C-alpha cells in the first residue's frame, strides 16, 4: 500500500477534469487548499485518516457534483461551513474525529439526498437544528461525543428511512419527544450517557423494526411503557442507571429475541 505525505498545493486546481480524489489513510498534512472548490466535476473527495489541520474551506460548497465527502480522522478545526448545505447531490458526509466546534449549521437540512452523516467525536455545541428534519433520505446518523445542548427536535420524526441514530455522550437534555415513534425504519437507537429526563414515551412501541434500545445513564423517570413489548425485533435493551420505577411490564416477556437486558440502578420492582 502507499503512504503519501506532504501537503496539497493550490496547483490541484489545474486538474479540472478530476472526478474522484481518494487519499484515505495516508500522511497528508497541512491545510485543505481553497482551490479545491474549483474542481467542478469532482464527485468524490476522501481525505480521511490523514494529518490535515486548519479549517474546512467554505469553497467546498461550490462542488455541485459532489456525492461523497470524507474528512474524518484529521485535526480540522473551526466550524462546519454553512456552504456545505449547497451540496445538493451529497449522499455521504463524514467529518468525525476532528476538532470541529460551533453549531451544526441549519443549512445542513437542505441535503435531502444525504444518506450517511457522521459528526462523532468533535467539540460541536448548540442545539441540534430543527432543520435536520429535511434529511429525508438519511439512513445512518452518528453524532455522539459532542457537547450539544437542548433536546431532540420534534422534526426528527420526518426521518422515515433512518435505521441508526447514535447520540451517545453529547449532553442532550430535555425529555424524549413522542414524535420519536415516527422513526418507522429505526433499528438502533443509542442515547446513552446524556441528561435526558422524563418518561419513556409510549410511542416507543411504534418502532417495530427496533433491535437495540440503549438509553442508560440518563435521568429517565416513570415506568417502562408496556408498549415496548410491541417491538418484537428487540435484542438489546439498556436502560440502566436512570430513575425508572414501578413494575416491569409483563408484555416484555414476549420479546423472545432478547439477548441483553440491563435495567440495574433504577427503582424497579417485579420479576
Amino acid at each position: 500500500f502507499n503512504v503519501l505525505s506532504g501537503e496539497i498545493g493550490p496547483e490541484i486546481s489545474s486538474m479540472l477534469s478530476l472526478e474522484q480524489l481518494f487519499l484515505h489513510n495516508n500522511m497528508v498534512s497541512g491545510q485543505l487548499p481553497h482551490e479545491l472548490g474549483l474542481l467542478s466535476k469532482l464527485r468524490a473527495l476522501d481525505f480521511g485518516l490523514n494529518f490535515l489541520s486548519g479549517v474546512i474551506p467554505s469553497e467546498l460548497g461550490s462542488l455541485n457534483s459532489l456525492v461523497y465527502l470524507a474528512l474524518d480522522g484529521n485535526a480540522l478545526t473551526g466550524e462546519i461551513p454553512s456552504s456545505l448545505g449547497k451540496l445538493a447531490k451529497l449522499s455521504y458526509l463524514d467529518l468525525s474525529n476532528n476538532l470541529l466546534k460551533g453549531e451544526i449549521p441549519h443549512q445542513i437540512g437542505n441535503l435531502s439526498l444525504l444518506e450517511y452523516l457522521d459528526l462523532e467525536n468533535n467539540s460541536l455545541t448548540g442545539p441540534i437544528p430543527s432543520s435536520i428534519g429535511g434529511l429525508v433520505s438519511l439512513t445512518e446518523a452518528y453524532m455522539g461525543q459532542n457537547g450539544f445542548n437542548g433536546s431532540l427536535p420534534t422534526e426528527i420524526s420526518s426521518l422515515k428511512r433512518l435505521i441508526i441514530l447514535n447520540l451517545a455522550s453529547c449532553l442532550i437534555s430535555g425529555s424524549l419527544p413522542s414524535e420519536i415513534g415516527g422513526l418507522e425504519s429505526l433499528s438502533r437507537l443509542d442515547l446513552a450517557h446524556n441528561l435526558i429526563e422524563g418518561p419513556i414515551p409510549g410511542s416507543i412501541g411504534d418502532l417495530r423494526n427496533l433491535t437495540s434500545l440503549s438509553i442508560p445513564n440518563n435521568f429517565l423517570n416513570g415506568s417502562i411503557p408496556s408498549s415496548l413489548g410491541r417491538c418484537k425485533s428487540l435484542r438489546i435493551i439498556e436502560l440502566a442507571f436512570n430513575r425508572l420505577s414501578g413494575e416491569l411490564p409483563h408484555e416484555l416477556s414476549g420479546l423472545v429475541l432478547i439477548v441483553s437486558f440491563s435495567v440495574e440502578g433504577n427503582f424497579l420492582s417485579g420479576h
Side-chain angles (χ1 to χ4, degrees), residues 113-128:
L113 297 183
L114 194 68
E115 298 177 8
Y116 182 97
L117 174 64
D118 194 343
L119 304 177
E120 274 193 337
N121 196 24
N122 280 285
S123 297
L124 298 172
T125 55
I128 295 174

Side-chain angles (χ1 to χ4, degrees), residues 62-261:
S62 300
L63 300 175
N64 297 326
S65 299
L66 201 64
V67 175
Y68 184 102
L69 177 59
L71 301 174
D72 55 297
N74 284 283
L76 296 171
T77 56
E79 300 186 357
I80 299 173
S82 59
S83 60
L84 295 188
K86 296 190 293 185
L87 300 174
K89 295 182 179 180
L90 199 66
S91 68
Y92 185 102
L93 177 60
D94 190 348
L95 304 177
S96 64
N97 299 298
N98 279 289
L99 304 171
L100 299 171
K101 62 181 182 179
E103 299 186 5
I104 299 174
H106 69 85
Q107 291 88 347
I108 204 164
N110 297 331
L111 304 177
S112 59
L113 297 183
L114 194 68
E115 298 177 8
Y116 182 97
L117 174 64
D118 194 343
L119 304 177
E120 274 193 337
N121 196 24
N122 280 285
S123 297
L124 298 172
T125 55
I128 295 174
S130 58
S131 63
I132 198 170
L135 303 179
V136 293
S137 299
L138 199 63
T139 59
E140 298 181 46
Y142 304 92
M143 295 186 282
Q145 296 170 296
N146 280 289
F148 300 125
N149 58 52
S151 57
L152 285 175
T154 57
E155 290 81 2
I156 200 170
S157 63
S158 299
L159 308 181
K160 303 299 184 184
R161 299 182 183 180
L162 193 63
I163 296 172
I164 299 173
L165 176 59
N166 188 323
L167 281 166
S169 302
C170 57
L171 302 181
I172 294 291
S173 59
S175 58
L176 289 176
S178 60
E179 288 84 358
I180 202 167
L183 299 174
E184 57 193 38
S185 300
L186 197 65
S187 174
R188 288 166 46 192
L189 176 62
D190 190 347
L191 300 172
H193 300 279
N194 279 295
L195 305 172
I196 301 170
E197 57 188 8
I200 300 172
S203 60
I204 201 87
D206 295 333
L207 303 178
R208 302 301 176 89
N209 293 301
L210 198 64
T211 62
S212 177
L213 175 65
S214 180
I215 324 180
N217 297 90
N218 279 277
F219 297 93
L220 295 172
N221 57 37
S223 59
I224 296 175
S226 59
S227 60
L228 192 59
R230 300 202 304 263
C231 302
K232 300 298 185 182
S233 298
L234 269 172
R235 297 176 58 85
I236 297 171
I237 296 177
E238 296 178 345
L239 298 172
F241 300 104
N242 280 284
R243 297 174 177 175
L244 297 168
S245 59
E247 293 193 1
L248 290 174
H250 67 85
E251 287 86 354
L252 298 185
S253 62
L255 301 177
V256 297
L257 299 180
I258 287 288
V259 296
S260 177
F261 182 75

